[in-house]
Amino acid sequence: MAFLSQTLPDPYEDFMHHHLQYYGYFKAQKSSLPSSATHQRVWRSSPRYMLNGSFGERDDFISDSLEKEMFLWPNCLTSTGHAQIDAVNKDSLMLSSPLLRSRQLLYDELDTVNPRLREPRELFSCFSNKGPLQAPRWPIECEVIKENIHHIEWVPLQPEYFYQPTGNERVPEIVGEEQGTIVYQLDSVPTEGSFFTNSRIGGKQGVIKELAATLQGPEDSTLLFESRFESGNLQKAVRVGIYEYELTLRTDLYTDKHTQWFYFRVQNTRKDVTYRFTIVNLLKPKSLYAVGMKPLMYSQLDATIYNVGWRREGHEIKYYKNNMDDGPQPLYCLTWTIQFPHDQDTCFFAHFYPYTYTDLQCYLLSVANNPIQSQFCKLRALCRSLAGNTVYLLTITNPSRTPQEAAAKKAVVLSARVHPGESNSSWIMNGFLDFILSDSPDAQLLRDIFVFKVIPMLNPDGVIVGNYRCSLAGRDLNRHYKTVLKDSFPCIWYTKNMIKRLLEEREVLLYCDFHGHSRKNNIFLYGCHSNNRKHWLHERVFPLMLSKNAPDKFSFDSCNFKVQKCKEGTGRVVMWRMGIINSYTMESTFGGSTLGSKRDTHFTIEDLKSLGYHVCDTILDFCDPDQTKYTQCLQELKELLQQEIHKKLNNFGQDMDLEGNWSDIPLSDIESSTSGSDSSLSDGPPIRLLSIADELHQKMVLKNPKKKRLQTRKQRNEQYQKNYLMRELKLTENAPTQLSGREKGTSLDAPLTSPKTKEITQSKKPGFTASCSPKRSTNSSLGPAPDVKPNWPKTRYSASRKDHAAMAGYPSLHIYTYP
């Protein structure tokens, strides 16, 4: 071992030294580089490498950062930590040898090699409060201002009631930039047809342009607009009057759709002057603004002087169709008037309370620095987004005393912010984390009996750039949970595979994905109806319990459990098909409540946080060993369902006795569709693969042209019968003395079921007729069409089913609904 007596250069460290110097990321001398082992020890306790996610990937380094860490980090170590560093420094000679290439071996204080490998770099459970957070990574086309935007949390002292339309609200005519003056316009936004290629901290390189209008003097009252910060998305502002502005929102990056979320800043305000703002390019024909919802405003001076934060403001609120409808899809406008509280103030407007990626990181940092919470809340990086931002995964559970106790724990999986513009989901998640990480006895009990897997922000890229619905792939992630494109949809792919592995280890009691809703008030759930008789109606128990625990916020009547084909790619349906019975999408309104004590009032941050607590409380009720509440809810659900079926039948003019076998009617036929949900059209392949997919599709069509399918089973049966009779007739005419085709063994030419055999088969199945029921519309509602009546049979059907083969003869198993 004589070669250990001298220091040998490490080729890897030598290469990295020159590489960093070449790109200007490292300016120190080569001698200041720490050894590999010390570097890794430093990384494990340094926020510069832990929360900023610099795992040897694409993140920018801070100059001289390694040298600074050598001097700053040991100051906060215990004596044991200093001893470990000293031991590693002794062995740095061994690690610098080209013969020992592994940097994964652990060393103890006795200078001996421990054969255990280091924990993977993506796994970490504690952070230091020293140093900066990870700066968000932006697409290289996006300009980003250097200011840090921060808002205080505040709960209004009085309820904020809905705006009551008078009917006299002015509808301003849209004049556009031809008759107005552009005072703000982004010129570095990716255009439609382009796709994401690269990202960097700070976005676009170079000098940040001043996009706001130039003031001509102190008397110039032009507002100064800005949105080039986290979650901002104002594209253009046009001044069309002294105090009147038309605003154009930026669509989701790399798309031409999804304008709903807005968040921007104005400066140079004037007090006691009525301003009018009109957003001119919204895409949804219906909105909560039409039924009383108000925009949110934040005054920087009010926050500084009076500690007042976001509040609902606005008068003469009107949602209407744009009169300049010259595009491929109709546009809608939102207009409102407002008076600013101060002169020369800085104010913000938003669709809902913003919650940015930086806000999440600050929250996670506070959890990691809490010596108690960090013991039962382990934080890791689930994956990297397309832009390289970390998608965090929290595992929350109390340590188990035995392996058997740990294995017996069931799991609960919660996620939020797959749609970046639905910030209300983050506030519900924030309230859930506040409670589950607290020292409350109920929280401790939940941690004792469950393992919670929490993904607080599934789409950090979309949140950062201010998208409403899509990721940087230009697609709605909540339509791609069945994807195999890991590189295009990493957040969804890794989430699904994490849950798949979790299901192999333990039972998952509950999956819930938090969302926001732009057209309905209150909070409600979408679930999946189970066809398993053993679990009949069980998926509705949790939502009913939640409605009882939060009666002034949660509406069970708005819940829906129908599984539609267009929703097959959503997290709710995919997890349900993977075996999670209680799989839900939680929809929280952008508006407020129409229930109980909070009727006609907007939701506040505190209201949404409280729902996170109610979710925890309901989980305890749902799993209570005393099944009294569960049984009562199940019985109440059966009664509610009976009432709904009677109501449907009465609408059709039928009076039927459902006692005994009413439960055999498929629930999917009773419920309307979830067409009220915020459906998305961005469910195709990633934009960069779209042209390739079109090419392949055209080739497949030319290679395998589709045969024209008959529309219904009745038509197919008639066609089979016709073909069969034609063959029989042909055989009879050609050879009247010969045997029939079937007797001669020519069964390959015959239909699968002859008419005679079909009649015998149908006669053995009570309740089925030869003809099929009419095709039902997929866009259904509760009311029937005025001139259409269902063809109900006149006879009643048996009280119960003998077995699965003999099905009851209720009206073709369908409750008809019409668009």
Side-chain angles (χ1 to χ4, degrees):
M1 301 295 289
F3 70 93
L4 294 177
S5 60
Q6 57 181 348
T7 302
L8 298 177
D10 187 330
Y12 175 80
E13 288 186 352
D14 190 67
F15 165 76
M16 289 304 299
H17 164 71
H18 290 294
H19 178 74
L20 296 177
Q21 273 194 334
Y22 177 81
Y23 285 100
Y25 294 144
F26 183 78
K27 300 177 182 178
Q29 299 300 318
K30 184 175 179 180
S31 58
S32 66
L33 273 169
S35 67
S36 302
T38 306
H39 181 193
Q40 291 193 7
R41 295 273 184 174
V42 169
W43 175 88
R44 294 193 65 180
S45 297
S46 169
R48 204 179 301 273
Y49 298 97
M50 298 180 70
L51 202 58
N52 73 357
S54 297
F55 300 147
E57 296 183 4
R58 299 170 289 185
D59 297 61
D60 298 330
F61 283 13
I62 301 173
S63 11
D64 299 332
S65 61
L66 298 180
E67 183 178 15
K68 292 177 183 176
E69 295 291 352
M70 290 291 292
F71 297 100
L72 296 178
W73 178 66
N75 294 334
C76 59
L77 286 177
T78 60
S79 57
T80 305
H82 283 290
Q84 290 176 347
I85 287 295
D86 293 339
V88 171
N89 286 333
K90 293 177 185 177
D91 290 315
S92 62
L93 184 60
M94 293 182 64
L95 286 179
S96 66
S97 169
L99 302 179
L100 299 175
R101 302 308 304 268
S102 174
R103 290 175 171 79
Q104 298 298 312
L105 297 179
L106 293 177
Y107 288 78
D108 58 24
E109 298 181 14
L110 301 178
D111 299 342
T112 59
V113 176
N114 189 326
R116 290 184 298 107
L117 293 177
R118 295 181 185 276
E119 188 179 60
R121 286 187 172 186
E122 288 80 9
L123 301 175
F124 42 87
S125 58
C126 58
F127 303 95
S128 169
N129 57 5
K130 310 287 184 181
L133 298 173
Q134 173 190 0
R137 301 186 67 90
W138 294 70
I140 56 175
E141 304 96 330
C142 297
E143 286 188 347
V144 185
I145 62 175
K146 304 302 181 185
E147 301 175 49
N148 292 322
I149 307 297
H150 175 70
H151 305 299
I152 64 171
E153 286 187 32
W154 175 72
V155 179
L157 302 179
Q158 301 295 329
E160 296 179 308
Y161 286 94
F162 293 158
Y163 173 73
Q164 299 299 322
T166 63
N168 299 320
E169 287 81 10
R170 176 189 160 200
V171 179
E173 182 180 354
I174 307 304
V175 299
E177 58 190 71
E178 291 79 9
Q179 302 179 37
T181 304
I182 297 177
V183 294
Y184 177 83
Q185 183 170 12
L186 293 181
D187 57 1
S188 60
V189 177
T191 58
E192 181 193 356
S194 61
F195 51 85
F196 171 76
T197 57
N198 204 355
S199 67
R200 68 183 298 272
I201 294 175
K204 188 176 182 178
Q205 287 183 317
V207 179
I208 303 300
K209 300 177 183 178
E210 183 60 51
L211 299 183
T214 302
L215 298 180
Q216 302 303 315
E219 301 302 320
D220 191 343
S221 61
T222 304
L223 290 179
L224 305 178
F225 290 83
E226 184 58 82
S227 67
R228 293 172 295 173
F229 46 80
E230 268 194 86
S231 297
N233 74 334
L234 181 65
Q235 168 75 37
K236 182 170 63 175
V238 179
R239 190 181 190 185
V240 295
I242 299 178
Y243 301 111
E244 189 168 344
Y245 296 85
E246 291 178 2
L247 311 177
T248 302
L249 303 182
R250 195 210 68 220
T251 59
D252 284 6
L253 291 188
Y254 312 110
T255 78
D256 61 348
K257 297 184 286 289
H258 311 299
T259 50
Q260 182 71 31
W261 165 262
F262 60 86
Y263 179 31
F264 58 90
R265 183 183 75 185
V266 295
Q267 294 176 309
N268 194 38
T269 62
R270 297 292 187 269
K271 183 182 178 182
D272 298 330
V273 172
T274 300
Y275 288 82
R276 177 176 290 276
F277 297 100
T278 304
I279 299 175
V280 300
N281 67 327
L282 298 170
L283 289 175
K284 293 188 177 181
K286 295 182 180 180
S287 172
L288 288 171
Y289 289 112
V291 291
M293 177 174 156
K294 294 182 179 181
L296 280 160
M297 190 196 77
Y298 184 96
S299 165
Q300 199 74 56
L301 287 177
D302 276 350
T304 304
I305 300 172
Y306 306 111
N307 202 36
V308 173
W310 288 99
R311 59 184 185 264
R312 300 282 180 173
E313 292 287 353
H315 299 279
E316 296 187 49
I317 301 171
K318 183 75 173 178
Y319 194 87
Y320 61 99
K321 189 173 181 179
N322 192 327
N323 58 2
M324 298 179 64
D325 186 9
D326 54 356
Q329 49 192 344
L331 299 178
Y332 297 86
C333 300
L334 168 66
T335 186
W336 74 95
T337 61
I338 197 165
Q339 291 188 347
F340 292 110
H342 304 283
D343 286 325
Q344 302 298 326
D345 195 4
T346 295
C347 294
F348 295 82
F349 289 97
H351 182 56
F352 202 75
Y353 302 99
Y355 192 99
T356 65
Y357 183 63
T358 298
D359 292 333
L360 173 66
Q361 287 190 301
C362 291
Y363 183 88
L364 296 181
L365 183 63
S366 68
V367 172
N369 288 332
N370 188 307
I372 298 176
Q373 293 177 345
S374 59
Q375 294 179 12
F376 51 76
C377 177
K378 304 302 179 183
L379 181 62
R380 62 166 289 193
L382 176 68
C383 65
R384 296 292 186 132
S385 65
L386 281 180
N389 295 297
T390 304
V391 180
Y392 295 102
L393 171 66
L394 285 71
T395 302
I396 304 170
T397 188
N398 283 339
S400 302
R401 289 168 291 187
T402 64
Q404 294 77 14
E405 181 182 329
K409 289 184 177 181
K410 296 181 180 180
V412 173
V413 180
L414 303 176
S415 61
R417 217 61 187 278
V418 68
H419 293 151
E422 297 170 358
S423 59
N424 34 8
S425 64
S426 284
W427 291 111
I428 295 176
M429 179 64 77
N430 191 277
F432 167 80
L433 291 174
D434 281 348
F435 180 78
I436 199 65
L437 297 175
S438 69
D439 57 358
S440 163
D442 284 349
Q444 294 179 27
L445 178 59
L446 284 168
R447 297 195 301 266
D448 284 337
I449 59 180
F450 291 109
V451 176
F452 291 91
K453 294 285 186 177
V454 180
I455 308 173
M457 192 171 285
L458 273 167
N459 189 356
D461 293 348
V463 172
I464 290 168
V465 302
N467 279 2
Y468 173 57
R469 200 167 185 87
C470 297
S471 70
L472 294 183
R475 291 293 179 257
D476 182 349
L477 294 182
N478 199 37
R479 297 297 182 272
H480 287 277
Y481 274 88
K482 297 168 70 175
T483 187
V484 295
L485 302 175
K486 179 173 69 172
D487 293 337
S488 297
F489 308 107
C491 311
I492 297 305
W493 191 92
Y494 279 99
T495 297
K496 179 184 174 182
N497 278 270
M498 179 272 292
I499 297 175
K500 190 180 295 185
R501 292 195 302 269
L502 188 63
L503 283 167
E504 295 172 356
E505 298 173 4
R506 62 186 79 246
E507 177 187 348
V508 177
L509 176 75
L510 176 75
Y511 166 86
C512 190
D513 189 22
F514 296 161
H515 285 253
H517 206 285
S518 66
R519 289 178 285 177
K520 288 184 179 180
N521 279 309
N522 306 314
I523 302 171
F524 46 94
L525 288 174
Y526 291 139
C528 302
H529 166 64
S530 174
N531 294 320
N532 188 338
R533 302 295 300 172
K534 179 181 177 182
H535 303 295
W536 189 66
L537 294 181
H538 285 208
E539 73 283 345
R540 302 172 185 237
V541 174
F542 183 84
L544 183 61
M545 286 183 170
L546 187 54
S547 70
K548 295 180 181 297
N549 288 334
D552 55 353
K553 303 181 189 72
F554 191 92
S555 170
F556 181 77
D557 290 339
S558 297
C559 295
N560 199 294
F561 302 88
K562 189 170 186 176
V563 178
Q564 295 175 272
K565 186 176 180 179
C566 64
K567 302 299 177 67
E568 285 289 338
T570 61
R572 163 178 64 102
V573 177
V574 170
M575 301 311 161
W576 173 64
R577 296 204 183 281
M578 287 169 57
I580 304 175
I581 297 175
N582 302 297
S583 181
Y584 304 107
T585 296
M586 178 177 287
E587 297 280 359
S588 169
T589 181
F590 288 107
S593 175
T594 61
L595 306 170
S597 60
K598 291 191 172 294
R599 184 178 182 86
D600 296 333
T601 62
H602 291 88
F603 280 150
T604 65
I605 290 176
E606 201 61 32
D607 289 328
L608 297 177
K609 284 186 173 183
S610 70
L611 194 77
Y613 156 73
H614 289 305
V615 169
C616 295
D617 192 32
T618 306
I619 293 175
L620 281 178
D621 291 339
F622 189 74
C623 300
D624 194 338
D626 181 3
Q627 290 287 288
T628 303
K629 290 183 180 179
Y630 193 99
T631 305
Q632 288 177 352
C633 286
L634 206 55
Q635 182 59 36
E636 184 177 341
L637 285 169
K638 292 177 181 179
E639 294 173 359
L640 287 172
L641 187 59
Q642 277 184 312
Q643 294 173 10
E644 184 66 22
I645 295 174
H646 278 293
K647 180 180 177 181
K648 292 268 187 178
L649 295 177
N650 289 335
N651 289 338
F652 296 136
Q654 302 292 327
D655 185 16
M656 310 185 86
D657 182 12
L658 297 176
E659 191 63 33
N661 58 1
W662 61 273
S663 59
D664 290 332
I665 299 180
L667 299 184
S668 60
D669 291 336
I670 298 170
E671 291 185 312
S672 61
S673 69
T674 56
S675 58
S677 66
D678 287 353
S679 300
S680 175
L681 299 176
S682 297
D683 55 356
I687 293 177
R688 65 186 180 87
L689 301 179
L690 195 57
S691 58
I692 301 175
D694 288 341
E695 255 182 59
L696 292 175
H697 178 70
Q698 292 296 331
K699 290 180 180 178
M700 291 298 293
V701 169
L702 293 175
K703 186 177 180 181
N704 300 314
K706 289 187 177 180
K707 295 181 179 180
K708 186 177 179 181
R709 294 174 60 92
L710 296 172
Q711 292 184 353
T712 66
R713 183 180 300 171
K714 178 181 178 181
Q715 291 175 320
R716 292 197 297 270
N717 290 341
E718 290 175 351
Q719 187 64 43
Y720 289 151
Q721 293 174 11
K722 181 179 178 181
N723 293 342
Y724 178 81
L725 292 175
M726 290 295 293
R727 279 193 297 269
E728 290 290 335
L729 180 61
K730 187 175 181 180
L731 289 172
T732 304
E733 291 176 350
N734 293 341
T737 59
Q738 293 181 357
L739 294 176
S740 66
R742 183 172 180 83
E743 292 170 340
K744 291 181 64 176
T746 58
S747 59
L748 291 177
D749 296 329
L752 295 178
T753 305
S754 67
K756 183 177 180 180
T757 306
K758 186 172 182 65
E759 291 173 4
I760 295 173
T761 305
Q762 290 175 349
S763 66
K764 293 181 179 180
K765 295 184 178 181
F768 283 87
T769 59
S771 63
C772 291
S773 59
K775 186 177 181 181
R776 291 171 293 142
S777 169
T778 56
N779 186 14
S780 57
S781 61
L782 294 181
D787 299 326
V788 181
K789 293 185 179 180
N791 184 23
W792 298 113
K794 301 298 182 181
T795 57
R796 300 176 187 272
Y797 36 87
S798 56
S800 61
R801 294 192 299 177
K802 300 289 185 182
D803 51 32
H804 292 287
M807 302 185 69
Y810 44 81
S812 299
L813 296 178
H814 298 308
I815 300 294
Y816 294 96
T817 54
Y818 302 89

